[in-house]
Amino acid sequence: MSVSIAVLTRDESDVLSLLKSCSDVSVTVFDFQSLTTGCLDPFDCACILGGTRKEPLALSAKNRTIVEDFAASGKKVLFEYAISFCENYCKNPESTRFLRLVCADSELSGLPEGTLLDDQCNLRAAPYYHSRLAKPILMYKKGLSEHSNQALSEEDRADFGQYGIWLETPRTAVCSFCLSNFIRARFSPVHAWRKVITSLFSWLCDTPLSFEGKFPDYYTCNRESTLRETADAAVRWFERSGMLIDDGAEGVLEGLATEIMPDGSQKLADPIRTDCAGEAAMAYFFHYLASNDPQSLRRANALEAFVYDRMQIKSGRFAGMLRWTNVAWGVCYQDDMARAMFVTLFKALYGKGREYLPQCRAALGFLMDTTGPDGLRPARTDNLNMTDEDYRALSEKDGAFPCAHYNAFYLACLLLYGKMEHDERCLAVGERGMRSLMKTYPKTIREQSETEELCRLLLPLSWLYYATGKEEDREMLYTVVRDLEKMRDPSGAYLEWDSDYSAACSKQEDGECSLLSRNGDPVVDLLYSNNWVPLGMLQAYFVTGDPALYEKFEEHARFISRAQIHSDDPHIDGAWARGFDTQLMEVYGLPNDVGWGPWAIESGWTVAEIIAGLYSGVLKNELKGFYK
């Protein structure tokens, strides 16, 4: 005989659909206008779902009396995102963006104590008080530095203001946050939340419930696809997600921010970045090479034109500079400028056009004019308030910044351009900069992790060897490849690793933060590290002709294929998000980064870079001849 449950709600939701699908329960739905005295009496338990809207549920005096009379009869009640319950009430809603939930009770959650869970950019109404009988099940905690498990201290457990789910009384459970649409809001890890839901409603119904096979997947990964199928799906993402602006003529959006709201909507990252536009042009160019699709060529050309015709300064002291974004109009990151120019260099290398090569050289000229005698630039330059003396100092004083994150791709562009065009200045500055950078290896200045530095060095070292032909440069490339292999996970990915945790963004709680918690955790970064590998490893293969390097590319590409997102949601279908757990095979990682957390999807840095690398693999036999 099934348990009868009364569900009081303002809207349909994931939780309601799940309960309706369960053969163990009989569900009757009430809206708050239809409650009458005694209407709940026939039911075994009641669930009040307030989390379908931004405003917490506030029961009217009449409805509250009906619910409390039901609870007083000894039957169990669950309150979700209600501003008041029993004798307690809550603070105004606040975001959980930089918080995570920690399991405080294994019996009532179905999880080991200390298990970490993410409820994305949720809303919670924290309790002002707690009853003396209150027992926490899940608790919020800020500043977590562990990947998947962190113990709660007795002091943590005593902080009732951080209760997420708890028993207010032995027969009344409370959830302070929006739980109703946990599936579309992509709570993670998925298996952990399924256990929480099963345990919570089994408690409510006083009987073990089974939702086996009833949880729908909002997205899946771990699908086996070919290089071409994976890359084709990613190309489709650009249009289906709405990233392209005027078919590329006005650039692309940056992507999707990490914030997923309680209703499942995801915040848009809408700056128009020059690097993303150039990288998207490169992705479409490689798609054209692989498919001969004229529309992709038109889009590649439109995006390349946007880079130089819209975002390049044409005159004055800063002539040649590519602006960072439509907002940061006077800012220059040389690494970002370099990636915007990749498409122009590849088109020239593969004999498909040289229209913007002069503008590319002008951009490189500006960068060289603001590079120190050691061949390195600072992290960025800002035009506002830069005096003539400041400008001269950039070329007169060593940049002294041996960091692949900021300098390696810029130097790579100098080397490839210099090689193709026999430009001695580009070759000299590029080689000098790479020598200064690699002089500090492996102690280069790290931004996110040691893994990131190694991944970013693959392409620049390949082009250094291509430009110089020196055996020492070839050996350095292989040194980096060997060192990177130490971070290889059985999945084929390269795990985040930092031998001495010296990266600038490591272990931070504010600002831009690494995904790295502890060396050995199964976490992968597809924004700063693994996204550079397909293109970089293929360039290493092209310039050396070593089939072992192509085998490494293939092994990694199989992971990239399995990490691709498949969903009915066109905003994420075919893309890759930043944070990925290779054991869970889902998007999951530290949420501490101010703007680019686990669910951030970057149109240029991630999706476009991976597309170019995968199509390079598809076209390896056609492309390798250009490097002889």
Side-chain angles (χ1 to χ4, degrees):
M1 185 175 179
S2 63
V3 176
S4 61
I5 178 171
V7 177
L8 286 60
T9 184
R10 296 176 284 191
D11 308 283
E12 293 290 323
S13 65
D14 293 341
V15 166
L16 180 55
S17 296
L18 194 63
L19 290 172
K20 288 178 177 179
S21 73
C22 182
S23 59
D24 299 325
V25 297
S26 172
V27 178
T28 302
V29 180
F30 292 88
D31 62 38
F32 294 97
Q33 284 71 45
S34 63
L35 293 181
T36 58
T37 301
C39 69
L40 302 182
D41 292 349
F43 296 93
D44 296 315
C45 56
C47 177
I48 294 92
L49 300 178
T52 61
R53 300 186 186 181
K54 292 181 180 179
E55 319 81 36
L57 179 64
L59 291 171
S60 67
K62 170 196 165 187
N63 289 341
R64 184 158 188 165
T65 301
I66 292 170
V67 172
E68 292 194 353
D69 286 347
F70 177 79
S73 70
K75 295 178 180 179
K76 288 184 176 179
V77 179
L78 167 63
F79 288 91
E80 179 235 4
Y81 200 54
I83 199 72
S84 184
F85 45 86
C86 303
E87 298 298 322
N88 207 343
Y89 62 104
C90 300
K91 302 175 184 178
N92 289 329
E94 61 181 3
S95 173
T96 69
R97 165 68 177 85
F98 296 103
L99 304 175
R100 285 167 108 185
L101 287 154
V102 189
C103 174
D105 187 291
S106 59
E107 181 181 356
L108 291 168
S109 68
L111 300 169
E113 289 189 17
T115 299
L116 293 173
L117 303 99
D118 203 332
D119 64 339
Q120 308 303 347
C121 190
N122 207 341
L123 292 170
R124 67 161 178 164
Y128 272 113
Y129 314 108
H130 72 298
S131 77
R132 61 183 179 83
L133 300 174
K135 182 178 182 180
I137 301 172
L138 299 181
M139 296 192 67
Y140 279 105
K141 191 168 175 59
K142 186 180 181 181
L144 291 167
S145 58
E146 298 298 327
H147 178 65
S148 59
N149 188 284
Q150 185 160 325
L152 288 167
S153 67
E154 289 306 312
E155 183 180 2
D156 291 331
R157 290 175 179 274
D159 187 358
F160 63 85
Q162 302 304 322
Y163 283 9
I165 299 178
W166 71 98
L167 296 184
E168 179 75 359
T169 73
R171 302 193 70 76
T172 303
V174 181
C175 178
S176 66
F177 56 90
C178 298
L179 181 66
S180 287
N181 289 311
F182 73 101
I183 295 172
R184 69 191 75 173
R186 286 170 262 169
F187 285 13
S188 59
V190 170
H191 79 280
W193 280 104
R194 289 177 177 181
K195 287 184 177 179
V196 168
I197 294 292
T198 300
S199 294
L200 184 62
F201 284 95
S202 293
W203 170 88
L204 180 65
C205 294
D206 261 334
T207 188
L209 299 182
S210 175
F211 295 105
E212 190 69 30
K214 303 296 184 182
F215 289 101
D217 293 315
Y218 192 80
Y219 77 97
T220 60
C221 297
N222 211 20
R223 184 181 297 181
E224 292 287 345
S225 302
T226 66
L227 291 179
R228 185 182 288 273
E229 289 169 342
T230 304
D232 287 350
V235 168
R236 289 192 295 270
W237 172 82
F238 271 96
E239 184 174 3
R240 296 180 69 235
S241 64
M243 292 298 118
L244 282 178
I245 305 172
D246 193 15
D247 220 28
E250 294 301 324
V252 295
L253 299 180
E254 181 178 354
L256 295 174
T258 197
E259 292 89 349
I260 302 173
M261 306 307 171
D263 63 357
S265 59
Q266 188 167 359
K267 184 178 177 182
L268 195 67
D270 55 7
I272 314 301
R273 295 179 55 138
T274 307
D275 53 352
C276 291
E279 288 169 302
M282 176 175 65
Y284 275 110
F285 171 66
F286 274 96
H287 181 247
Y288 164 71
L289 292 181
S291 66
N292 203 32
D293 182 352
Q295 183 182 52
S296 285
L297 181 60
R298 286 194 297 271
R299 286 172 172 170
N301 291 340
L303 287 160
E304 186 185 19
F306 172 81
V307 167
Y308 297 106
D309 294 346
R310 292 277 191 270
M311 302 302 283
Q312 187 169 44
I313 298 176
K314 300 300 183 184
S315 60
R317 186 171 59 181
F318 304 110
M321 190 192 95
L322 298 178
R323 303 182 186 278
W324 184 27
T325 78
N326 64 321
V327 176
W329 196 242
V331 176
C332 170
Y333 281 102
Q334 61 271 10
D335 174 85
D336 294 358
M337 274 187 65
R339 286 180 286 103
M341 292 184 275
F342 275 5
V343 63
T344 308
L345 296 172
F346 277 124
K347 285 174 71 175
L349 178 63
Y350 299 151
K352 297 297 182 181
R354 301 167 60 87
E355 179 184 359
Y356 283 102
L357 210 55
Q359 290 86 338
C360 177
R361 179 59 176 81
L364 293 173
F366 163 78
L367 291 176
M368 288 188 287
D369 289 344
T370 52
T371 293
D374 59 353
L376 300 174
R377 285 184 104 249
R380 66 182 253 184
T381 52
D382 294 77
N383 296 353
L384 182 66
N385 299 325
M386 184 184 289
T387 65
D388 289 339
E389 183 179 352
D390 295 332
Y391 188 86
R392 285 194 302 272
L394 290 170
S395 61
E396 294 172 354
K397 296 179 181 179
D398 283 347
F401 197 50
C403 176
H405 175 96
Y406 288 104
N407 270 306
F409 284 172
Y410 154 48
L411 300 171
C413 286
L414 290 177
L415 290 161
L416 183 57
Y417 184 93
K419 169 74 171 179
M420 290 192 301
E421 298 301 297
H422 308 288
D423 189 311
E424 293 301 324
R425 186 188 182 197
C426 287
L427 287 170
V429 176
E431 183 175 356
R432 188 184 315 132
M434 287 299 295
R435 301 257 179 264
S436 297
L437 177 62
M438 297 310 295
K439 187 187 300 182
T440 66
Y441 185 85
K443 295 291 186 179
T444 59
I445 295 175
R446 301 168 188 162
E447 183 74 0
Q448 296 290 331
S449 66
E450 187 176 355
T451 306
E452 182 207 9
E453 285 288 287
L454 295 172
C455 292
R456 286 220 188 198
L457 282 169
L458 290 173
L459 182 144
L461 285 172
S462 299
W463 289 358
L464 175 64
Y465 173 57
Y466 181 51
T468 69
K470 295 178 181 179
E471 184 60 28
E472 64 183 283
D473 296 329
R474 186 178 190 276
E475 182 52 37
M476 181 52 71
L477 170 60
Y478 276 89
T479 297
V480 167
V481 170
R482 287 191 295 269
D483 288 346
L484 185 57
E485 285 301 305
K486 298 172 186 176
M487 289 83 166
R488 175 88 76 169
D489 180 70
S491 67
Y494 296 107
L495 299 182
E496 284 301 279
W497 191 279
D498 195 358
S499 296
D500 55 4
Y501 301 102
S502 63
C505 297
S506 179
K507 301 283 188 179
Q508 290 197 158
E509 296 178 15
D510 301 297
E512 292 188 29
C513 302
S514 168
L515 289 179
L516 178 63
S517 303
R518 191 182 300 274
N519 289 333
D521 284 336
V523 65
V524 171
D525 195 324
L526 285 154
L527 172 61
Y528 288 111
S529 299
N530 280 257
N531 47 309
W532 314 120
V533 172
L535 191 59
M537 198 68 82
L538 256 298
Q539 294 303 305
Y541 164 69
F542 287 145
V543 301
T544 64
D546 185 351
L549 294 176
Y550 185 77
E551 290 173 6
K552 294 183 186 301
F553 160 79
E554 284 189 306
E555 186 177 354
H556 184 266
R558 282 192 287 271
F559 160 74
I560 289 291
S561 179
R562 292 194 298 273
Q564 188 173 42
I565 296 167
H566 301 277
S567 176
D568 291 335
D569 183 346
H571 294 95
I572 63 174
D573 182 51
W576 293 269
R578 178 187 179 185
F580 197 83
D581 186 302
T582 62
Q583 291 181 0
L584 299 172
M585 290 305 291
E586 66 175 277
V587 180
Y588 180 73
L590 284 179
N592 297 348
D593 193 291
V594 69
W596 295 271
W599 263 105
I601 297 176
E602 198 78 359
S603 63
W605 292 53
T606 298
V607 182
E609 288 283 343
I610 291 174
I611 288 171
L614 295 182
Y615 280 131
S616 294
V618 172
L619 297 164
K620 72 179 179 72
N621 292 330
E622 294 91 330
L623 298 182
K624 63 184 179 181
F626 290 101
Y627 294 81
K628 291 180 179 178

